[in-house]
């Protein structure tokens, strides 16, 4: 029997029971579609988070004061103090490295802003003009903080979009004077809406010159240094330089932690990659269930078609041929089921994209290939038992329908 | 036919196709196993996290500088306009029902002792820290009740810290340099392990006022308030708020009760468990498709039997009940098998890998079995309906 | 009052847009306790008539009175209940449930009727003994010969003590010896008052009945009574 004939006979047998065949296809399709949709979800989460991190800027390094042996994202790094502050002079010194393009010192704290009788608790960020370039913020109106001597506490500030709406409903804020804590400052500009970001909600920030923020919050040191390397290749060099420079300045003690954006990205990539793989595994369980169903129905088919098999054998079909016939049926089921699953999965993805246009739902290639392979594997694997059973039937008994 | 006979009849016909019935039940079983395993991992995570949070007791209220509206990172961790001071911590002791307050300053510093140096976590705390959080001292004593504003330079080591610097030697009485200042070691804590990634053993405890000096800051990181368990947290919080307003002229702190934190965490983890249960449910769905298919086949195969039953006086309702019963039975048994396998796996996992937090989520186990039975019902309705609707004469002719 | 009365009864089937008259203008009265045989060429409507009489099928036109009740007024459940209590069937192909033992097959109608287990077993045993199969109660159909299977089917048909026994070619699948045995059993039942209607192709069997009906193209073309013959 040629391959074509075999396929035709198998397909004919399947079409004789359309409902049953449709159900097996549906079962396989649900499994494949589940793999697609779940891995696409995992991927979307991964790219959302990494994109957010990338949006912080390119070739970034973050310097935090303090260091423990155990580096990582533990609370020790997130919130801690070190005996020696990071200073503005440290920030200036870092610029000596040729691998470093820009440095933005950061001071962060809470304060109350008031304008025209309206009052609000906000987060104040003290920084320098370099910040707008590092983070690639866009301005809605006015100017960002002036590029001036970092030690000058000039009374100016830049507002986030939410603050503008809440404090200056309808009013043009640029040029107005705002009270922040116990200081007054002139609004120089307003940032365009930025949305949530990993570090803080930029739309709710008040940005001030770093020296002004230090005075306002009464902190001598810096919270972070945000450093931009000159290029992707120089990030590692910049990290080495920064550590070396700061160590020199801190009397030979390495009391800062330098995190590169790439390292964080890699960590997140790893976490979300594992998550996606786990989701794929869970979804694949349903493929196994579909395989069990295929096996079950094929077994039924073998017992129902006993007489037919007996006839085939009486007409000279070998065991091999009978096995092949039934395995072909299982393969067709699995392949068509996988195909239907792809269609179903992609339809679901189209729907999800329409609902959440911000997220990139795209199943990874390995999941696509893996789902189809597992479906086919299940089809063949679970098809073997029924096919064997059919092949072993005794032709005389089979013809008698027993 | 009463219920028991129906079950017997269904069992009988299910048993007459043993392999087929086993495979059908297996489909549901795998789904239920997946749900049980996944939810017990979710539940395990839930318990683990809650344990981590409650091991210090639930009658603790945290006060952080700075006002934040949302739970989570208070802006106060960046430093604030009005600092929380050691005097605040002392004053809060006078609030009704407050048993103790612990000022906390945290940071990292380089520590030298026993001829070695190590960068480590520094916890500046009050002497009440030990009793409030139920930490035990292995050697010596904890920080003494000195004048909280000018305490002596004494230090207590975490278990790992002691090991790193002094090995098996007793460090009591040794001199220690913390960020350049000299301290005398008066105690070593018992090992405590990690809490949410923060290694409590890799820590040096020094008096809070000294930590403030070390880090050159005015404000505390946090004040932890231990209150009388018998009193509702709200009442204590109200007292704390009044005290802070009286001292600061406004409520510029964030007060978090352990309960709030647990509630938020609990609901997040509940969602996680629910989500994984739903994922496991996909397999259950596929298993349901399997039952439907097999029952449809059974109806077709047993058409002659249905005809006979009708001929000898079975009503449509009885035929329907027979096939529905069989479908539910298959799903129910499959589900029970899944529970058994899933449960055993969880127990074995718990024994084999004690570090892995697993715990059977009973509501989900019950729900999984209920859903399995419901799936049996849903998958059986159409085939059973079909069987009941068969024309008896036609059915008898089928052979 | 006659047990069965058919008035201008017709049954038509639609096959591919064409009307097939399986039964046409049948008028028939059958008294309780009669022994009737129905013969006729293949396709003449014998089985259809038996199905209508047994309340498995409903006539397209005309009326069927059973014990003075017009059966067209009965709902599906009532029809089922009547079949259960009053009518027994014996088929050419036995229709035993293969996975059940002989006793279980006989118990089946009682199971449906909600009769308790102990009584079921007792009555099934008696019924099987009545057809001479007391010692084969635990055998499955596959372990029985054709004649034995048909005897089990008869035991099942009479276990509810019906008043009407309908047999559609009960000997069609059997050799002459077993066939004669089956007929003898049914005739014994008839002698005890059971109304017996047998469809058959076998002239010898057909002529044993006291009343002989002949069908052709769905019409009763001959209605002979042994007394008149
Ligand atoms: N369900 C049906 N659908 C269509 N036509 C039917 C159906 N049942 C019976 N017929 C037709 O009605 C006519 C009578 O059929 P019936 O089975 O009563 O014949 P019979 O006398 O029992 O024949 P036999 O001796 O071969 O059993 C036949 O022409 C048959 O084709
Ligand atoms: Mg016939």
């Amino acid at each position: 029997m040629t391959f074509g004939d075999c396929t035709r006979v198998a397909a004919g047998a399947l079409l004789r029971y359309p409902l049953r065949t449709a159900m097996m296809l549906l079962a396989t399709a649900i499994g494949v579609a589940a793999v697609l949709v779940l891995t696409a979800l995992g991927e979307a989460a991964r790219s959302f988070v990494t994109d957010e991190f990338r949006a912080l800027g390119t070739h970034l390094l973050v310097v935090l004061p303090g260091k423990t042996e155990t580096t990582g994202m533990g609370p020790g790094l997130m919130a801690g103090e070190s005996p020696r502050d990071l200073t503005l002079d440290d920030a200036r010194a870092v610029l000596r490295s040729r691998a470093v393009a820009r440095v933005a010192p950061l001071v962060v704290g809470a304060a109350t802003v008031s304008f025209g009788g309206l009052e609000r608790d906000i987060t104040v960020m003290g920084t320098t003009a370099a910040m707008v370039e590092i983070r690639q913020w866009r301005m809605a109106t006015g100017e960002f903080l002036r590029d001036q001597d970092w030690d000058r506490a000039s009374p100016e500030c830049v507002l986030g979009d939410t603050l503008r709406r809440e404090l200056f409903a309808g009013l043009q804020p640029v040029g107005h004077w705002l009270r922040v804590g116990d200081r007054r400052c002139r609004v120089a500009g307003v940032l365009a809406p930025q949305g949530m970001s990993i570090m803080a909600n930029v739309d709710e920030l008040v940005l001030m010159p770093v020296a002004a923020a230090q005075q306002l919050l009464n902190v001598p040191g810096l919270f972070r240094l945000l450093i931009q390397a000159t290029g992707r290749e120089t990030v590692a060099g910049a990290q080495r330089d920064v550590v070396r420079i700061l160590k020199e300045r801190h009397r030979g003690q390495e009391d800062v932690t330098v995190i590169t954006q790439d390292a964080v990205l890699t960590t997140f990539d790893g976490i979300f990659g594992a998550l996606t793989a786990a989701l794929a595994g869970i979804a694949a369980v349903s493929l196994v269930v579909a395989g069990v169903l295929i096996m079950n129905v094929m077994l039924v088919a073998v017992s129902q078609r006993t007489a037919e098999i007996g006839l085939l054998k009486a007409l000279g079909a070998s065991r091999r041929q009978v096995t092949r016939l039934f395995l072909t049926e299982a393969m067709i089921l699995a392949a068509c089921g996988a195909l239907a699953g792809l269609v179903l999965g992609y339809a679901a993805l189209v729907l999800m994209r329409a609902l959440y246009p911000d997220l990139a739902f795209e199943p990874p290639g390995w999941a696509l290939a893996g789902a189809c392979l597992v479906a086919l594997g299940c089809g063949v694997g679970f098809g073997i038992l029924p096919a064997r059973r059919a092949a072993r039937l005794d032709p005389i008994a089979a013809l008698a329908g027993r | 036919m009463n219920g028991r006979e129906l079950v017997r009849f269904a069992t009988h016909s299910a048993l007459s196709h043993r392999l087929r019935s086993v495979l059908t039940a297996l489909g549901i079983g795998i789904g239920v196993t997946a749900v049980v395993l996944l939810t017990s991992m979710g539940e395990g995570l839930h318990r683990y996290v809650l344990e981590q949070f409650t091991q210090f007791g639930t009658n603790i209220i945290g006060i952080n500088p700075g006002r934040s509206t949302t739970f989570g990172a208070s802006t106060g961790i960046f430093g604030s306009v009005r600092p929380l001071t050691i005097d605040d911590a002392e004053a809060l002791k006078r609030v009704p029902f407050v048993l103790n307050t612990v000022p906390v300053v945290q940071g990292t510093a380089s520590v030298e002792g026993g001829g070695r140096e190590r960068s480590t976590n520094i916890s500046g705390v009050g002497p009440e820290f030990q009793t409030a959080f139920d930490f035990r001292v292995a050697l010596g004593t904890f920080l003494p009740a000195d004048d909280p504003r000018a305490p002596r330079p004494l230090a207590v080591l975490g278990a790992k810290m002691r090991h790193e610097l002094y090995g098996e030697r007793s460090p009591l009485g040794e001199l220690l340099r913390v960020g350049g200042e000299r301290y005398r070691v008066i105690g070593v804590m018992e090992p405590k392990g990690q809490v949410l990634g923060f290694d409590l053993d890799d820590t040096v405890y020094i008096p809070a006022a000294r930590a403030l000096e070390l880090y050159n800051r005015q404000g505390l990181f946090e004040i932890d308030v231990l209150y009388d368990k018998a009193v509702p947290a709200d009442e204590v919080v109200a007292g704390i708020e009044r005290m802070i307003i009286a001292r600061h002229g406004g409520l510029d702190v964030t007060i978090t009760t352990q309960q709030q934190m647990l509630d938020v965490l609990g609901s997040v983890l509940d969602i996680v468990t629910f989500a994984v249960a739903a994922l496991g449910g996909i397999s259950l769905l596929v298993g349901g498709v399997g039952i439907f298919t097999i029952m449809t086949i059974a109806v077709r195969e047993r058409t002659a039997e249905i005809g006979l039953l009708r001929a000898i006086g079975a009503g449509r309702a009885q035929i329907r009940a027979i096939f529905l019963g069989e479908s539910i039975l298959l799903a129910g048994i499959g589900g029970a098998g899944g529970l058994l396998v899933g449960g055993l796996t969880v127990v074995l996992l718990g024994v084999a890998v004690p570090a892995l937090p697993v715990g059977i989520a009973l509501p989900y186990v019950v729900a999984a079995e209920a859903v399995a039975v419901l799936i049996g019902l849903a998958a059986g309705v159409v085939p059973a309906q079909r069987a009941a609707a068969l024309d008896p004469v036609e059915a008898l002719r089928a052979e | 009052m006659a047990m069965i009365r058919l008035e201008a009864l017709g049954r038509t089937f639609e096959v591919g847009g064409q009307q097939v008259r399986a039964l046409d203008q049948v008028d028939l009265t059958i008294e309780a306790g009669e022994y009737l045989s129905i013969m006729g060429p293949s396709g003449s409507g014998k089985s259809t008539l038996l199905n209508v009489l047994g309340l498995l099928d409903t006539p397209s036109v005309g009326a069927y009175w059973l014990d003075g009740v017009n059966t067209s007024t009965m709902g599906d459940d009532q029809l089922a209940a009547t079949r259960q209590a009053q009518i027994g069937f014996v088929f050419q192909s036995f229709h035993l449930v293969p996975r059940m033992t002989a006793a279980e097959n006989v118990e089946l109608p009682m199971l449906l009727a909600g009769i308790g287990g102990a009584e079921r077993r007792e009555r099934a045993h008696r019924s099987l003994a009545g057809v001479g199969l007391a010692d084969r109660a635990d055998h499955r159909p596959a372990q029985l010969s054709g004649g034995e299977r048909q005897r089990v089917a008869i035991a099942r048909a009479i276990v509810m003590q019906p008043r009407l026994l309908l047999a559609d070619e009960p000997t069609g699948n059997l050799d002459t010896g077993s066939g004669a045995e089956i007929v003898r059993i049914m005739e014994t039942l008839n002698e005890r008052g059971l109304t017996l209607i047998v469809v058959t192709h076998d002239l010898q069997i057909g002529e044993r009945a006291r009343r002989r009906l002949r069908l052709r193209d769905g019409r009763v073309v001959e209605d002979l009574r042994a007394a008149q013959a």
Side-chain angles (χ1 to χ4, degrees):
Chain A
M1 201 158 33
T2 66
F3 175 76
D5 285 339
C6 190
T7 311
R8 207 162 318 119
V9 171
L14 288 173
L15 286 178
R16 227 186 312 156
Y17 299 102
L19 177 71
R20 186 190 292 192
T21 304
M23 284 300 130
M24 289 189 278
L25 292 184
L26 176 67
T28 314
I30 290 176
V32 172
V35 173
L36 287 201
V37 169
L38 289 181
T39 51
L41 267 174
E43 275 295 293
R46 192 185 62 84
S47 57
F48 177 76
V49 171
T50 51
D51 284 355
E52 281 289 303
F53 249 88
R54 275 207 193 94
L56 290 180
T58 41
H59 325 311
L60 276 194
L61 297 98
V62 182
V63 181
L64 327 121
K67 180 172 185 70
T68 56
E69 303 294 330
T70 45
T71 36
M73 294 293 285
L77 286 184
M78 300 300 283
E81 293 261 327
S82 85
R84 202 185 320 269
D85 289 321
L86 272 174
T87 61
L88 284 176
D89 286 335
D90 288 336
R92 284 193 195 94
V94 162
L95 271 175
R96 289 207 310 259
S97 162
R98 260 191 289 149
V100 170
R102 295 189 182 86
V103 175
L106 289 188
V107 173
V108 178
T112 312
V113 283
S114 52
F115 175 79
L118 289 172
E119 202 169 277
R120 203 172 181 291
D121 289 326
I122 47 91
T123 305
V124 171
M125 180 185 275
T127 185
T128 61
M131 187 69 173
V132 74
E133 285 159 66
I134 293 177
R135 295 289 308 270
Q136 288 159 359
W137 281 333
R138 279 158 293 112
M139 301 299 295
T141 51
E143 302 283 319
F144 196 69
L145 301 172
R146 260 175 299 161
D147 194 1
Q148 59 178 358
D149 182 1
W150 292 354
D151 289 320
R152 273 197 56 196
S154 59
E156 56 174 348
C157 64
V158 173
L159 300 185
D161 187 62
T162 310
L163 276 181
R164 174 195 59 80
R165 252 188 299 116
E166 291 185 0
L167 290 177
F168 292 92
L171 227 64
Q172 180 53 255
V174 175
H176 283 286
W177 285 81
L178 205 65
R179 175 161 285 283
V180 183
D182 54 1
R183 301 171 68 91
R184 277 162 53 80
C185 59
R186 206 183 64 92
V187 178
V190 178
L191 291 173
Q194 312 284 333
M196 265 317 272
S197 112
I198 302 275
M199 288 188 85
N201 189 347
V202 177
D203 294 344
E204 293 190 0
L205 282 183
V206 170
L207 295 136
M208 307 175 86
V210 62
Q214 279 181 315
Q215 287 171 17
L216 170 77
L217 300 169
N218 192 12
V219 287
L222 297 174
F223 172 60
R224 300 273 136 104
L225 291 184
L226 221 54
I227 298 172
Q228 189 168 33
T230 50
R232 194 181 174 80
E233 332 66 56
T234 56
V235 170
Q239 183 173 15
R240 272 196 305 278
D241 287 352
V242 169
V243 170
R244 185 178 43 79
I245 292 169
L246 292 181
K247 194 170 172 182
E248 266 168 29
R249 292 185 49 84
H250 293 184
R251 288 195 223 129
Q253 272 200 18
E254 194 181 326
D255 57 359
V256 294
T257 305
V258 182
I259 306 172
T260 65
Q261 197 182 10
D262 283 350
V264 176
L265 275 176
T266 311
T267 309
F268 272 112
D269 246 18
I271 293 173
F272 280 94
L275 179 77
T276 307
L279 285 176
I282 293 170
V285 172
S286 56
L287 275 177
V288 174
V289 178
V292 171
L293 173 62
I294 290 183
M295 164 150 94
N296 208 358
V297 173
M298 298 284 294
L299 281 171
V300 171
V302 169
S303 71
Q304 278 180 344
R305 278 150 59 188
T306 304
E308 174 193 325
I309 295 164
L311 183 70
L312 282 177
K313 290 194 133 190
L315 294 178
S318 68
R319 279 189 180 201
R320 253 268 255 356
Q321 279 175 316
V322 175
T323 310
R324 232 178 69 193
L325 204 60
F326 277 84
L327 273 185
T328 307
E329 265 184 53
M331 289 272 275
I332 292 178
L333 280 174
C336 292
L339 211 65
L342 292 184
V343 172
L344 198 71
Y346 272 105
L349 289 181
V350 166
L351 199 75
M352 281 156 64
R353 283 191 200 116
L355 288 176
Y356 302 97
D358 293 345
L359 294 177
F361 293 109
E362 188 61 46
W366 60 262
L368 220 74
C372 293
L373 280 181
V374 171
L376 279 180
C378 279
V380 175
F382 286 108
I384 284 176
L385 181 67
R388 281 264 194 79
R389 190 174 267 211
R392 272 208 309 269
L393 281 177
D394 171 33
I396 300 165
L399 267 179
R402 257 183 284 135
Chain B
M1 246 200 297
N2 61 28
R4 216 179 57 226
E5 272 154 2
L6 194 66
V7 170
R8 183 125 35 88
F9 194 92
T11 319
H12 201 286
S13 60
L15 280 180
S16 69
H17 290 287
R18 215 155 300 190
L19 180 59
R20 183 195 298 187
S21 302
V22 166
L23 288 176
T24 311
L26 182 65
I28 292 287
I30 292 175
V32 171
T33 308
V35 171
V36 170
L37 280 180
L38 288 171
T39 53
S40 53
M41 282 176 198
E43 178 73 11
L45 183 72
H46 194 155
R47 282 191 207 163
Y48 172 76
V49 171
L50 287 193
E51 235 166 61
Q52 296 270 294
F53 266 82
T54 51
Q55 63 172 329
F56 304 123
T58 49
N59 55 331
I60 290 173
I61 296 174
I63 305 172
N64 297 88
R67 189 103 184 105
S68 83
T69 39
T70 44
F71 166 79
S74 147
T75 52
I77 62 169
F78 305 123
S80 109
V81 189
R82 281 180 218 81
L84 269 178
T85 61
I86 291 191
D87 288 337
D88 287 332
E90 288 301 307
L92 283 169
K93 285 182 180 166
R94 298 196 301 269
V95 171
F97 309 117
V98 167
L99 302 177
N100 243 328
T101 64
V102 183
V104 179
V105 178
Q106 255 163 355
T108 61
S110 163
V111 176
E112 285 174 59
R116 297 190 193 194
E117 188 178 345
R118 182 175 173 79
S119 287
T120 190
N121 299 314
I122 304 293
S123 276
V125 294
E128 308 85 352
F129 175 82
Q130 185 211 353
T131 41
F133 291 101
D134 195 24
F135 274 43
R136 259 179 284 275
V137 180
L139 272 180
T141 59
F142 197 70
L143 299 173
D146 284 351
D147 174 3
R149 287 164 204 86
R152 286 171 288 166
L154 302 173
V156 176
L157 302 181
K160 181 171 179 186
M161 204 49 212
R162 170 254 176 117
H163 203 81
E164 291 288 334
L165 294 185
Y166 299 99
E168 294 309 310
R169 267 191 302 137
S170 165
L172 295 186
E174 297 274 346
L175 277 183
L176 194 72
R177 275 189 177 284
V178 180
E181 295 240 5
R182 279 152 48 108
Y183 287 78
R184 189 166 297 281
V185 178
I186 57 163
V188 177
M189 307 303 285
E190 277 187 5
K192 199 72 182 174
Q194 296 213 340
V195 172
L196 302 175
F198 192 83
D199 193 348
L200 292 170
D201 297 335
D202 193 3
T203 300
V204 174
Y205 298 92
I206 60 174
R210 294 219 159 246
L212 283 179
E213 254 169 53
L214 173 68
Y215 295 123
N216 188 18
R217 56 181 286 165
Q218 281 102 47
L220 295 169
F221 228 76
E222 180 174 291
I223 298 175
D224 289 314
V225 174
L226 189 76
Y227 64 93
D228 189 347
K229 268 196 184 84
V231 180
D234 294 348
E235 232 169 280
V236 185
V237 169
I240 292 171
E241 283 178 350
R242 273 194 300 278
M243 178 62 81
I244 294 288
I245 291 170
R247 292 180 57 84
H248 288 202
L251 195 60
D252 57 355
V253 295
T254 305
I255 301 174
T256 317
T257 66
Q258 190 85 321
Q259 203 50 51
Q260 276 171 342
M261 209 134 80
L262 290 180
D263 287 350
V264 173
L265 267 180
S267 56
V268 168
L269 292 166
D270 279 347
I271 293 172
V272 169
T273 308
F274 179 79
V276 290
L279 290 182
I282 298 173
S283 309
L284 268 181
L285 180 68
V286 178
V289 172
I291 292 200
F292 173 81
T293 313
I294 291 300
M295 288 313 293
T296 312
I297 290 174
V299 169
R300 214 186 149 118
E301 241 179 24
R302 276 153 61 189
T303 302
E305 180 186 325
I306 295 166
L308 167 83
L309 288 173
R310 298 277 281 142
I312 60 177
R316 288 187 197 284
Q318 275 180 319
I319 300 287
R320 196 179 305 128
I322 286 171
F323 281 88
L324 262 187
E326 200 172 320
S327 159
I328 291 173
L329 187 83
L330 285 177
I333 287 182
L339 291 189
L340 207 69
V341 173
L344 274 180
T345 314
V346 170
V347 170
L348 285 182
L349 265 182
V351 174
V353 198
L356 200 70
V358 287
I360 290 178
L362 209 56
Y364 279 101
V365 168
V366 175
E369 179 64 17
V371 167
V373 170
L374 276 181
I375 281 180
L377 184 72
V381 164
V382 171
Q385 201 57 41
R386 213 181 249 203
L390 275 181
D391 177 50
V393 181
E394 289 291 331
L396 278 170
R397 281 163 67 99
E399 190 68 24
Chain C
M1 183 185 60
M3 182 181 177
I4 289 168
R5 192 149 58 85
L6 307 183
E7 271 181 6
L9 186 135
R11 177 72 171 98
T12 39
F13 293 103
E14 246 197 57
V15 183
Q18 223 175 339
Q19 301 267 322
V20 177
R21 281 196 193 168
L23 291 176
D24 191 13
Q25 292 287 326
V26 175
D27 293 289
L28 191 65
T29 311
I30 300 170
E31 301 295 333
E34 275 197 83
Y35 177 11
L36 207 88
S37 72
I38 303 175
M39 302 213 283
S42 192
S44 57
K46 305 182 294 293
S47 295
T48 307
L49 178 59
L50 212 64
N51 287 338
V52 170
L53 288 175
L55 298 177
L56 281 173
D57 202 358
T58 45
S60 313
V61 291
Y64 169 16
W65 270 276
L66 179 66
D67 289 322
V69 182
N70 188 343
T71 57
S72 66
T73 62
M74 293 182 177
D76 192 73
D77 286 340
Q78 209 181 342
L79 288 173
T82 312
R83 280 200 301 272
Q84 192 172 84
Q86 316 250 18
I87 302 169
F89 283 95
V90 177
F91 305 96
Q92 176 177 358
S93 53
F94 323 130
H95 278 302
L96 297 181
V97 181
R99 63 169 183 276
M100 296 181 171
T101 63
E104 282 169 339
N105 265 290
V106 176
E107 279 184 43
L108 209 46
M110 295 185 280
L111 187 73
L112 291 171
I115 293 170
E119 187 186 343
R120 277 206 312 260
R121 272 184 291 284
E122 210 268 324
R123 277 170 65 175
H125 198 263
R126 249 192 297 148
S127 197
L128 275 173
V131 296
L133 284 179
D135 51 339
R136 313 300 290 270
D138 294 330
H139 290 216
R140 285 177 203 282
Q143 297 160 328
L144 299 171
S145 74
E148 287 163 344
R149 286 184 216 179
Q150 195 62 301
R151 280 193 273 163
V152 174
I154 293 174
R156 181 178 65 193
I158 59 169
V159 76
M160 294 296 288
Q161 293 164 339
R163 298 173 53 224
L164 178 61
L165 183 64
L166 304 171
D168 195 349
E169 296 182 41
T171 60
N173 282 0
L174 302 176
D175 62 86
T176 328
S178 320
E181 170 80 8
I182 294 298
V183 171
R184 200 184 50 70
I185 292 174
M186 291 196 294
E187 284 174 355
T188 316
L189 293 166
N190 173 248
E191 278 154 27
R192 293 189 203 138
L194 185 71
T195 312
L196 177 63
I197 303 177
V198 182
V199 169
T200 183
H201 278 294
D202 187 329
L203 209 71
Q204 273 181 343
I205 291 174
E207 297 201 322
R208 294 172 67 93
R210 287 192 296 281
R211 183 176 172 191
R212 299 194 283 273
L213 231 56
R214 185 166 289 279
L215 293 190
R216 177 165 295 133
D217 296 334
R219 285 170 182 271
V220 180
V221 293
E222 197 180 80
D223 187 353
L224 288 176
R225 282 167 208 270
Q228 295 167 349

